[in-house]
Amino acid sequence: QSIQGLKNSNGLINKKISDFTKNGAIYYEAAEKFKELKVLDEALECYNKAIKVDPNNPFFISQRAELLYGMKKYKEALA
């Protein structure tokens, strides 16, 4: 494979990684898995990332609020 071909492949890979991290659903799914495993701080971090990527998604916001409520972080859950 040529050097130019490798550069083009690398650019495509970097674009896919960038696209992947711009998808709030990916972070939501990770949050759900962490929640199942009772790793709640990691779940919260993933919900926060999902909301950062898609701040107008009411589902992500409500799921984070539900998690915070379950963690007895009531004021944060209402924010």
Side-chain angles (χ1 to χ4, degrees):
Q1 201 171 16
S2 71
I3 291 176
Q4 186 60 39
L6 288 173
K7 286 181 182 178
N8 289 341
S9 295
N10 190 39
L12 182 60
I13 290 169
N14 287 337
K15 182 182 180 329
K16 289 296 180 189
I17 289 170
S18 177
D19 290 348
F20 183 77
T21 59
K22 290 180 184 174
N23 185 345
I26 298 297
Y27 292 116
Y28 165 76
E29 291 296 329
E32 289 294 296
K33 291 299 177 192
F34 280 123
K35 195 164 72 169
E36 283 178 30
L37 297 169
K38 308 284 190 235
V39 185
L40 302 183
D41 288 332
E42 290 293 329
L44 180 58
E45 186 176 324
C46 289
Y47 281 132
N48 287 336
K49 287 179 180 180
I51 292 166
K52 184 176 181 180
V53 171
D54 190 357
N56 297 317
N57 188 314
F59 184 70
F60 296 160
I61 295 166
S62 69
Q63 290 300 106
R64 179 181 64 181
E66 183 180 306
L67 176 68
L68 287 165
Y69 186 85
M71 296 170 75
K72 299 184 186 323
K73 295 182 178 187
Y74 304 118
K75 288 183 182 179
E76 289 179 58
L78 293 173

